[in-house]
Amino acid sequence: MLKPSASIAAKAIVNDLRAQGRKVVDFTIGEPDLDTPPAIVDAGIAAMRSGDTHYTASNGTAPLRAAISAKYARENGLDIAPEDIVVGVGAKQLIFEAFAATLDDGDEVIVPAPYWVSYPDIVRLNGGEPVIVPCPADADFKLTPETLEAALTERTRWVILCAPSNPTGATYTTAELAGLAEVLMRHPQVAVMTDDIYEHLIYDGAKVDNILRVEPRLAGRVVLINGMSKAYAMTGWRIGFAAGPSHVIGAITKLLGQSTTCACSFAQAAAAEALNGDQSAVADMVAIYQRRRDLMYRRLSDIPGLSCAKPEGAFYIYPDVSALIGRTAPDGTVLGSDRDVALYFLREAGVAVMDGEAYGMSPYLRLSFATSEETINEGCTLIAQACAALS
């Protein structure tokens, strides 16, 4: 049965509680709280005023696809022609259409857990079977060559790699990607989808790499998914892009032509400005997120019952709450799962968080630090008080 997106459902609960007059500190949010940089907004407005308000080609405007091609060359060391790029209404749509274009009933897709909440359902909606591969904390929440090899079957068609990860912030080193690529070279029927939506949100001077750059021989079976939402604070503009083999990109384009037709014209103009223009706004936002990460990590790590790994990227922390399982709330309720813990924090402390079960690995919680330092401090204080009230 198709389930609603857990993160969207959580946001709806927060909105309902606030509408009832309840004060809620929201750590469920999966988008930047920062505004789109002014130069990007100005480019969108200028496009509208100049009459750029009509349908575009289904695969995106030529200027935007050229900007994406240049971005891959400049930032990722990849030579991708504009004709091998397609623009969609957000990265999520392109993940969906890539699977719609390639999966037959019963085809398997390897989904490393913890995972973004929508991967398994998108696979199922397109007739595939998600194969959930646990990637525990002692593996830094990452897929290893050994776990990948063990999960592959003759029915495997895709492997999803998301780094930096939602929900853990984990990233892969070049050597780790090389190890995964070595396994994949022995299984030519398996394609790779890299979800790179958080690639710019990386901290402590770390660098992200891509399996296609690491192993160019995979070029015929890697689809890169990315978009403007996270790094450029453009969630509402709904612009994503995919790059990959021409037969996959062509099939996605046909599906777009029979569904949404094209992405918004002036949003594409704004996206081209974002990619071609001054990138200092991105660096400024990353610096803000790093300060927030450091603050939330420090505050949560000081709370007895919570155990945190410091995320390398994205804007989430994924604390282990196993020490809270079995504890008793002041009203006598025994916390039996991470979902119970999340509900307890909402009920007792007025703090909304995501349970790890939604991301395929328990007992954890996901907290977003895409919010102000004041809110982080307030929420962490309330969580600490709620934890202290347990017996």
Side-chain angles (χ1 to χ4, degrees):
M1 177 183 292
L2 177 65
K3 302 184 294 292
S5 166
S7 53
I8 293 174
K11 183 62 177 174
I13 292 172
V14 170
N15 290 341
D16 286 346
L17 288 171
R18 286 174 171 169
Q20 297 167 22
R22 178 88 183 271
K23 180 179 171 73
V24 179
V25 175
D26 186 9
F27 288 150
T28 69
I29 191 166
E31 66 168 329
D33 63 315
L34 307 172
D35 292 331
T36 306
I40 301 172
V41 175
D42 290 344
I45 294 171
M48 285 188 280
R49 293 195 185 283
S50 68
D52 190 0
T53 56
H54 303 277
Y55 292 134
T56 75
S58 291
N59 63 344
T61 65
L64 178 52
R65 287 184 292 111
I68 295 165
S69 175
K71 166 260 186 298
Y72 277 122
R74 179 180 68 249
E75 296 180 354
N76 307 102
L78 298 173
D79 182 13
I80 299 175
E83 55 265 29
D84 292 329
I85 294 167
V86 61
V87 176
V89 184
K92 182 184 288 188
Q93 181 185 33
L94 296 168
I95 294 170
F96 187 99
E97 302 296 7
F99 288 146
T102 58
L103 288 177
D104 292 324
D105 287 349
D107 284 350
E108 295 176 353
V109 178
I110 292 177
V111 182
Y115 49 70
W116 176 51
V117 294
S118 292
Y119 291 142
D121 283 324
I122 290 175
V123 171
R124 292 187 189 100
L125 275 170
N126 288 293
E129 182 64 34
V131 176
I132 308 303
V133 178
C135 301
D138 59 11
D140 297 323
F141 300 117
K142 292 186 277 192
L143 191 65
T144 66
E146 294 75 21
T147 52
L148 173 59
E149 186 79 68
L152 292 168
T153 75
E154 62 181 16
R155 295 293 296 171
T156 306
R157 293 294 175 267
W158 287 93
V159 176
I160 300 175
L161 295 178
C162 177
S165 161
N166 175 8
T168 68
T171 64
Y172 289 90
T173 67
T174 298
E176 289 167 340
L177 290 172
L180 297 175
E182 183 179 350
V183 174
L184 291 164
M185 289 302 297
R186 298 195 292 269
H187 299 271
Q189 87 281 9
V190 180
V192 185
M193 176 181 287
T194 72
D195 184 347
D196 305 320
I197 195 71
Y198 293 98
E199 69 167 338
H200 290 99
L201 305 186
I202 193 80
Y203 309 121
D204 303 319
K207 302 292 184 183
V208 294
D209 211 336
N210 188 283
I211 198 167
L212 181 55
R213 192 208 65 79
V214 172
E215 181 46 87
R217 290 178 296 173
L218 291 172
R221 48 196 178 105
V222 174
V223 172
L224 311 173
I225 302 289
N226 212 320
M228 311 305 298
S229 291
K230 311 301 183 181
Y232 296 94
M234 293 178 68
T235 50
W237 298 76
R238 304 314 301 135
I239 297 293
F241 51 90
S246 58
H247 68 281
V248 177
I249 299 303
I252 292 172
T253 301
K254 290 178 183 178
L255 289 168
L256 297 180
Q258 296 293 350
S259 56
T260 50
T261 301
C262 63
C264 171
S265 57
F266 48 86
Q268 292 189 63
E273 167 61 28
L275 294 172
N276 289 331
D278 182 4
Q279 300 298 300
S280 61
V282 176
D284 291 343
M285 287 190 280
V286 169
I288 291 170
Y289 291 135
Q290 180 164 327
R291 288 197 299 272
R292 293 171 173 181
R293 179 207 61 169
D294 292 346
L295 173 62
M296 181 176 274
Y297 174 74
R298 183 175 69 252
R299 291 297 310 273
L300 292 177
S301 296
D302 286 341
I303 299 174
L306 304 185
S307 176
C308 302
K310 196 171 191 178
E312 299 169 296
F315 38 58
Y316 311 105
I317 292 183
Y318 202 61
D320 182 336
V321 295
S322 57
L324 301 182
I325 306 303
R327 302 279 295 278
T328 303
D331 66 358
T333 301
V334 177
L335 305 182
S337 67
D338 54 22
R339 181 167 176 76
D340 289 345
V341 175
L343 290 172
Y344 170 67
F345 285 168
L346 182 59
R347 183 180 68 249
E348 181 73 16
V351 179
V353 301
M354 297 294 298
D355 59 274
E357 181 182 352
Y359 298 88
M361 184 166 287
S362 295
Y364 291 87
L365 301 176
R366 191 201 74 166
L367 291 78
S368 168
F369 51 85
T371 190
S372 70
E373 292 183 25
E374 179 184 5
T375 298
I376 290 169
N377 273 317
E378 179 184 11
C380 289
T381 296
L382 292 169
I383 288 173
Q385 292 170 352
C387 289
L390 293 170
S391 59

